[in-house]
Amino acid sequence: PYVQNPTTSSIVVAWEDFETTAPKVVYGVQSLAEGSAPCSCAGIHCHCTLTGLLPATAYSYQVFDGEVPVSDAYAFRTKPQFIEPFTFAVCGDNRSDNSAHTLVIEAMSGKYSFVINTGDMVSDGENESHWDDYLEIEQPLQGHVTVFPSVGNHEVDDEKADAYYRIFHTPA
């Protein structure tokens, strides 16, 4: 799973899965038993919005299919209500070298409030295996930290970026 579109009181948890039938996310500050949110799936893409969260608060979460966990537990932090210091990273054009991309993600994990990706995340935006590779490499980072992506020319195919818009839940 990966986190998207954080606010002071909500966040989107999303993932790609072929077999989830009763998706939900459990979450909480002290324990995962504090909250639960039903999710929806369209094709292979599943997501849910966790609401009623507190600002600037660390939460743990885990994806379940019914009562069966289908992910490890991860953590995220909601946006603060007021301005406070933060750190962020900018990266991009990671489409053609999975080994180097993995090293970059390892170097960034646990160090930033958020990451901006300038695009060209995959070589072919309509090739599902490229997105599978991207999401697998990004998991150690995006399970905890929101990546704000930009559409690069490699995400676009025939003037469409369908997979990109399916995967990412960006602020309007």
Side-chain angles (χ1 to χ4, degrees):
Y2 51 98
V3 291
Q4 292 277 282
N5 201 15
T7 71
T8 56
S9 62
S10 68
I11 197 161
V12 173
V13 176
W15 68 97
E16 302 276 298
D17 188 348
F18 288 101
E19 299 179 17
T20 305
T21 58
K24 70 178 179 180
V25 171
V26 297
Y27 61 95
V29 175
Q30 299 295 326
S31 99
L32 291 173
E34 294 173 26
S36 176
C39 306
S40 62
C41 297
I44 64 170
H45 183 74
C46 300
H47 74 280
C48 60
T49 303
L50 309 184
T51 60
L53 307 178
L54 299 171
T57 303
Y59 287 84
S60 294
Y61 74 96
Q62 188 171 18
V63 175
F64 277 72
D65 187 8
E67 300 305 313
V68 178
V70 294
S71 79
D72 292 334
Y74 294 94
F76 65 85
R77 185 174 172 83
T78 51
K79 285 175 50 176
Q81 187 170 0
F82 303 104
I83 296 173
E84 59 183 53
F86 61 87
T87 59
F88 70 98
V90 177
C91 64
D93 203 8
N94 46 265
R95 73 190 185 296
S96 58
D97 187 342
N98 287 350
S99 296
H101 183 193
T102 300
L103 292 173
V104 169
I105 295 305
E106 288 171 358
M108 289 193 303
S109 292
K111 296 180 182 164
Y112 300 103
S113 303
F114 62 91
V115 174
I116 297 171
N117 190 308
T118 60
D120 290 347
M121 295 167 274
V122 295
S123 293
D124 177 357
E126 295 303 310
N127 185 322
E128 288 295 333
S129 69
H130 291 199
W131 286 111
D132 292 345
D133 291 345
Y134 169 82
L135 291 170
E136 182 178 335
I137 292 167
E138 293 272 327
Q139 181 58 53
L141 176 68
Q142 288 195 38
H144 304 280
V145 175
T146 298
V147 172
F148 293 99
S150 299
V151 176
N153 64 305
H154 287 273
E155 281 79 52
V156 178
D157 184 40
D158 294 328
E159 298 182 19
K160 300 182 303 189
D162 294 342
Y164 170 90
Y165 289 111
R166 181 191 76 233
I167 292 168
F168 295 107
H169 299 260
T170 57

